[in-house]
Amino acid sequence: MGSRIRAAYEKRLKEGRLTSDPGQAAAIDALSRLEKDLKRRGLFGGRPEVRGVYLHGPPGRGKSMLMDLFHACAPEPKLRRHFHVFMAEVHGLIREWRESDRKARQARFGQWKGDDPLTPIAELISRRARLLCFDELEVRDIADALILGRLFQALFDRGTVLAVTSNRAPDQLYLNGINRELFLPFIDLIRDRCETVVVSGERDWRIDLLARSRTWFLPEGKAAFEALWTELKGGAEEAPASMTVLGREVRLDRTVGGVARASFAELCGRPLGPQDWLAIAGRFHTLFLDAVPLLDEARHMEARRFVTLIDALYEAGARLVVRADAEPETLYIGATGAFEFARTVSRLNEMTSPTWLSLAAAPRQDGDPFSGVPA
């Protein structure tokens, strides 16, 4: 039997839905191998140990698209998650284990003894899925770093197989993180249990898509704004994302990997500040900002927040797609802060130009702003 993912990939090439990219060839080979290995049977009908796949490379090279395609073609049972959504679920399960009584643990996990929740959690996950497909693996949270090695050792011991995308090579994960030495066993596990493949084609398809599109929309352009959002996120499922900033949780409800979407009211209509927007800009390479109203004296505070938000996105080299009630030059009709807003107009025009996209594609000297992780 041939490879379903290879056939699906070649079909999309023939239909013109994808453009041939030599940088993706090795990934297709590795995913085809994994698909085949997942169908193998061991002695006496058991499951043989299967080596997973870890795809890494610059943003916009199609890693998430390849993972979506692989997940659709891979045999059941399987689970597809953005990595940080998965880790949020794991932390929720840890709390549930610790706060539950014997009866509740037994009902939820099928066991109740012990103080370490990671073993019953690994049992629960492995019963749900043999294959875990993760997008945008990145580790910046020490709470994640401290449990990943033990959690995934328990998962691998139960026959779990990984297919992963990341913007970073395994040995670059959690680089310079607090107590990184405690994280190194996880890196060793990834190297041992996954085939590492670089996806580094010359084209960034997200830039190609945005360069062909308008990125500033007026109210009548709502349908086009929605179509661009749908096309950019591909077939991936939207999920909420949370960031901890100065001890507070900042949550965006609509995210897909390194792409986020929010309304003006969500970001500028509530008392967020520079640290919040810097965290958003550091996590997401592209922001879709919807329903930006005309800004006047009555909305002076919202206008100030908007100025600071744009400054944070600009400094991070983020991409911006906006739907607003007016063009940048006529968006602010107040007097207070008009001088400061003039700079924002200039930045908005720059950030929605094709030239900005080509500049934003280059990594900054102080790190890659498109790592996509707080995905």
Side-chain angles (χ1 to χ4, degrees), residues 112-179:
W112 60 272
K113 293 182 178 180
D115 297 324
D116 183 4
L118 294 183
T119 297
I121 288 171
E123 291 274 7
L124 180 65
I125 294 170
S126 63
R127 288 197 300 269
R128 293 179 60 192
R130 182 191 184 198
L131 171 68
L132 296 179
C133 296
F134 291 141
D135 201 20
E136 305 223 19
L137 190 154
E138 177 69 81
V139 182
R140 294 184 181 176
D141 188 331
I142 188 172
D144 290 347
L146 293 177
I147 68 172
L148 278 171
R150 290 191 298 128
L151 174 63
F152 279 89
Q153 182 65 68
L155 287 169
F156 288 137
D157 289 345
R158 288 156 179 78
T160 300
V161 181
L162 291 187
V164 179
T165 75
S166 178
N167 292 337
R168 300 181 187 274
D171 62 0
Q172 296 297 303
L173 292 170
Y174 198 51
L175 196 62
N176 302 320
I178 299 172
N179 293 327

Side-chain angles (χ1 to χ4, degrees), residues 16-311:
R17 296 162 62 188
L18 295 176
T19 302
S20 180
D21 188 340
Q24 297 172 1
I28 290 294
D29 289 342
L31 293 171
S32 296
R33 187 272 305 163
L34 177 54
E35 179 192 347
K36 179 180 178 181
D37 288 351
L38 286 166
K39 296 174 183 176
R40 287 193 293 113
R41 295 290 179 182
L43 294 175
F44 310 109
R47 290 176 174 175
E49 183 176 306
V50 173
R51 196 163 188 238
V53 171
Y54 183 104
L55 305 179
H56 72 93
R61 268 56 180 184
K63 299 185 298 295
S64 296
M65 176 274 295
L66 293 171
M67 185 59 65
D68 288 337
L69 202 58
F70 173 69
H71 179 259
C73 296
E76 300 282 357
K78 57 193 175 184
L79 182 68
R80 169 78 160 85
R81 287 287 190 275
H82 186 276
F83 183 71
H84 285 276
V85 173
F86 173 79
M87 289 308 299
E89 293 172 348
V90 167
H91 286 293
L93 290 170
I94 290 173
R95 287 193 298 272
E96 190 174 341
W97 174 268
R98 289 173 174 167
E99 295 171 3
S100 297
D101 59 18
R102 171 176 175 174
K103 182 178 179 180
R105 284 184 178 181
Q106 186 68 38
R108 175 66 158 152
F109 298 94
Q111 55 187 293
W112 60 272
K113 293 182 178 180
D115 297 324
D116 183 4
L118 294 183
T119 297
I121 288 171
E123 291 274 7
L124 180 65
I125 294 170
S126 63
R127 288 197 300 269
R128 293 179 60 192
R130 182 191 184 198
L131 171 68
L132 296 179
C133 296
F134 291 141
D135 201 20
E136 305 223 19
L137 190 154
E138 177 69 81
V139 182
R140 294 184 181 176
D141 188 331
I142 188 172
D144 290 347
L146 293 177
I147 68 172
L148 278 171
R150 290 191 298 128
L151 174 63
F152 279 89
Q153 182 65 68
L155 287 169
F156 288 137
D157 289 345
R158 288 156 179 78
T160 300
V161 181
L162 291 187
V164 179
T165 75
S166 178
N167 292 337
R168 300 181 187 274
D171 62 0
Q172 296 297 303
L173 292 170
Y174 198 51
L175 196 62
N176 302 320
I178 299 172
N179 293 327
R180 188 172 187 260
E181 66 278 5
L182 301 177
F183 178 75
L184 297 180
F186 176 69
I187 294 177
D188 292 337
L189 277 175
I190 290 293
R191 287 171 168 165
D192 181 51
R193 298 298 188 111
C194 293
E195 175 186 359
T196 301
V197 180
V198 179
V199 183
S200 57
E202 295 181 357
R203 297 174 62 255
D204 185 330
W205 69 270
R206 289 189 304 236
I207 289 180
D208 292 347
L209 175 58
L210 291 174
R212 296 194 308 267
S213 307
R214 287 178 297 149
T215 52
W216 188 278
F217 297 86
L218 297 178
E220 58 269 23
K222 181 175 177 57
F225 179 85
E226 296 290 347
L228 183 58
W229 167 257
T230 299
E231 190 172 2
L232 192 64
K233 73 187 182 75
E237 182 180 354
E238 294 180 23
S242 296
M243 291 148 284
T244 301
V245 182
L246 301 178
R248 298 176 292 101
E249 181 186 60
V250 178
R251 176 185 170 100
L252 295 181
D253 289 328
R254 303 185 66 180
T255 74
V256 178
V259 182
R261 174 171 175 169
S263 69
F264 177 87
E266 289 174 303
L267 292 186
C268 302
R270 54 183 177 144
L272 299 179
Q275 295 301 321
D276 303 304
W277 293 313
L278 287 170
I280 291 171
R283 174 163 181 179
F284 300 102
H285 55 68
T286 301
L287 175 67
F288 277 63
L289 184 62
D290 196 11
V292 180
L294 285 173
L295 300 171
D296 55 17
E297 294 288 343
R299 286 182 162 139
H300 172 57
M301 288 305 300
E302 289 95 327
R304 288 183 59 184
R305 294 183 190 125
F306 182 68
V307 167
T308 309
L309 169 63
I310 299 305
D311 285 346

